[in-house]
């Protein structure tokens, strides 16, 4: 099956660059808002149908108990978030959720696990899930933490379409957010995923206390990868009680839209996802994000552990804005 990444109108365009500098990215983020949006929207129309949005539904197949110390996460065992560790979900239960997601209109089913990295017997079970979800006619994505090259190849053989592995923030700021792994670890897994021929889903989170320069730096790292990630999720921090970031200030929604626009300009042919954080953003802000170049959302009433707008309210939003689901070419 062809994937949504192949739904682009053009490829091989001069605007697809891999030599972005941090100064250029900072200058984009600092443009007058109208100038930034005009430029981003022009590119958006050049590479995509500007009214089509890709719909991904999330399911956490392994809750909590994670040994990593990501300061934003509800599922780290190091913080008192009231979130209990569970076993990996059974295949039948996962399929029930996938069928419901498809019936509600989802195009891709993304399964997450609170692991530092999967053990081989766990990966086997995930491979079974990937194969079975694919048979329902859904695109598949998983996010399982760090992978070896061999594990990435096994996922590819199971039919996996996308692997999500976020850089979260800049290399410079990474150590303030997570100490149990390095930026280099992250890039290494992304390399294994790319080499295995799986589409890369990689983005970040805004609201971790990062400076604007960190946002620019993260975008430069993403855009200067040998190939742009096919999917770029931009999350707004969902502040979780009990985590070190529970009291972080909400970021300015205009700044959030600026990052979406800069991502669209720097990776014009990638699908940019307005990921976590839509529940607290009004329709007008979401409309601006779609205008700025966001063309994917998490669809369905739950993210991994926290709520998301439900299907009915998103369908109402799409009707108000004249948006439609992106076609998946089969
Ligand atoms: N454990 C795996 C890993 O970290 O790669 C996969 C699951 S992890 C929960 C997936 C991604 O969700 C993280 O990389 C992070 O970008 C995002 N995420 C987690 N908690 C978040 C929060 N509270 N707000 C926004 N994004 C969050
Ligand atoms: C991504 O970039 N965002 C998703 C997904 N990839 C796995 C996760 C968002 C999590 C939001 C907080 C929660 O629900 O725990
Ligand atoms: Fe674990 Fe992933 Fe949460 Fe980090 S983001 S604590 S690796 S589940």
């Amino acid at each position: 099956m062809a994937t949504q990444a192949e739904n682009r109108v053009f490829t091989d365009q001069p605007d697809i660059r891999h030599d972005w500098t941090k100064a250029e990215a900072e200058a984009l983020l600092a443009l007058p808002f109208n100038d930034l949006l005009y430029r981003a929207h022009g590119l958006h129309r050049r590479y995509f149908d500007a009214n089509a949005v890709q719909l991904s539904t999330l399911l956490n197949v392994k809750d909590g108990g994670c040994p990593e110390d990501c300061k934003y996460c509800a599922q780290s065992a190091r913080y008192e978030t009231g979130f209990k560790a569970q076993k990996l979900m059974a295949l039948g239960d996962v399929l029930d959720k996938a069928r419901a997601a498809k019936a509600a209109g989802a195009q891709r089913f993304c399964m997450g696990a609170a692991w530092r990295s999967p053990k081989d017997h766990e990966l086997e079970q995930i491979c079974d899930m990937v194969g079975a979800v694919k048979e329902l006619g859904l695109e598949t994505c998983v996010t399982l933490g760090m992978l070896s090259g061999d594990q990435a190849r096994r996922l590819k053989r199971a039919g996996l379409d996308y692997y999500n592995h976020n850089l979260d923030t800049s290399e410079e700021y990474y150590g303030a957010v997570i100490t149990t792994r390095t930026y280099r670890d992250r890039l290494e897994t992304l390399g294994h995923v790319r080499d295995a021929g799986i589409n890369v889903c990689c983005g970040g989170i805004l609201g971790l206390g990062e400076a604007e320069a960190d946002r620019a730096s993260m975008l430069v790292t993403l855009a200067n990868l040998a190939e742009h990630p096919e999917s770029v999720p931009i999350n707004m921090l969902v502040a979780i009680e009990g985590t070190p970031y529970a009291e972080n200030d909400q970021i300015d929604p205009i700044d959030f839209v600026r990052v979406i626009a800069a991502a669209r300009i720097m990776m014009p042919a990638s699908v940019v996802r307005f990921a976590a954080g839509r529940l607290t953003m009004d329709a007008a802000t979401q409309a601006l994000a779609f205008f700025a170049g966001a063309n994917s959302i998490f669809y369905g009433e739950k993210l991994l552990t926290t709520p998301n707008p439900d299907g009915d309210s998103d369908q109402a939003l799409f009707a108000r804005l004249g948006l439609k689901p992106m076609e998946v070419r089969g």
Side-chain angles (χ1 to χ4, degrees), residues 66-70 72-77 113-116 145 168 178 181 186:
C66 182
E68 303 273 62
D69 70 350
C70 314
Y72 49 76
C73 188
Q75 303 193 77
S76 167
W115 289 324
R116 173 176 162 81
D168 285 341
I178 298 151
R181 57 171 189 259
R186 249 11 216 181

Side-chain angles (χ1 to χ4, degrees), residues 97-263:
K97 296 281 190 189
R99 275 190 209 97
K102 183 163 165 78
Q107 301 164 331
R108 188 177 308 159
F109 195 64
C110 306
M111 294 168 274
W115 289 324
R116 173 176 162 81
S117 56
K119 299 189 176 68
D120 282 344
H121 70 92
E122 293 166 337
L123 194 78
E124 224 30 72
Q125 289 171 269
I126 298 284
C127 286
D128 291 345
M129 291 176 190
V130 167
V133 169
K134 225 174 141 64
E135 274 185 22
L136 299 177
L138 283 158
E139 289 188 326
T140 52
C141 177
V142 296
T143 179
L144 316 170
M146 293 183 277
L147 295 182
S148 66
D150 183 55
Q151 289 180 320
R153 288 187 289 275
R154 281 168 65 190
L155 286 166
K156 174 68 183 174
R157 281 198 297 275
L160 184 68
D161 297 304
Y162 288 80
Y163 194 81
N164 168 244
H165 200 63
N166 289 337
L167 288 174
D168 285 341
T169 189
S170 66
E171 181 163 20
E172 300 87 318
Y173 193 58
Y174 201 72
V177 181
I178 298 151
T179 68
T180 48
R181 57 171 189 259
T182 65
Y183 216 65
R184 187 171 291 268
D185 290 331
R186 249 11 216 181
L187 290 167
E188 199 175 293
T189 292
L190 289 168
H192 293 322
V193 171
R194 180 56 82 205
D195 289 347
I198 300 168
N199 291 305
V200 171
C201 173
C202 182
I205 310 179
L206 309 185
L208 304 175
E210 74 283 355
E212 184 135 301
D214 294 305
R215 295 175 187 166
S217 176
M218 178 185 80
L219 289 171
V220 167
T221 304
L222 291 169
N224 289 353
L225 291 171
E227 287 178 71
H228 292 168
E230 282 74 12
S231 168
V232 180
I234 306 294
N235 295 272
M236 191 174 77
L237 174 74
V238 182
I240 310 274
E241 216 178 305
T243 64
Y245 290 163
E247 304 299 332
N248 278 25
D249 289 335
Q250 280 248 343
I251 75 153
D252 179 348
I254 297 292
D255 289 343
F256 185 86
V257 173
R258 282 182 180 280
V259 174
I260 297 269

Side-chain angles (χ1 to χ4, degrees), residues 33-46 48-53 257-258 260-262 264-265 272 274 283-296 321 323:
F33 193 64
N34 286 342
D35 293 346
L36 176 62
L37 259 62
Y38 179 76
R39 206 168 141 187
H41 188 72
L43 276 166
H44 190 185
R45 284 190 171 268
R46 183 148 185 209
F48 292 100
D49 174 344
N51 302 306
V53 176
V257 173
R258 282 182 180 280
I260 297 269
R264 167 55 61 228
I265 292 167
V272 176
F274 185 165
T285 311
Q286 294 191 55
L288 272 181
F290 292 129
F291 186 79
N295 58 353
S296 168
L321 301 177
L323 296 174

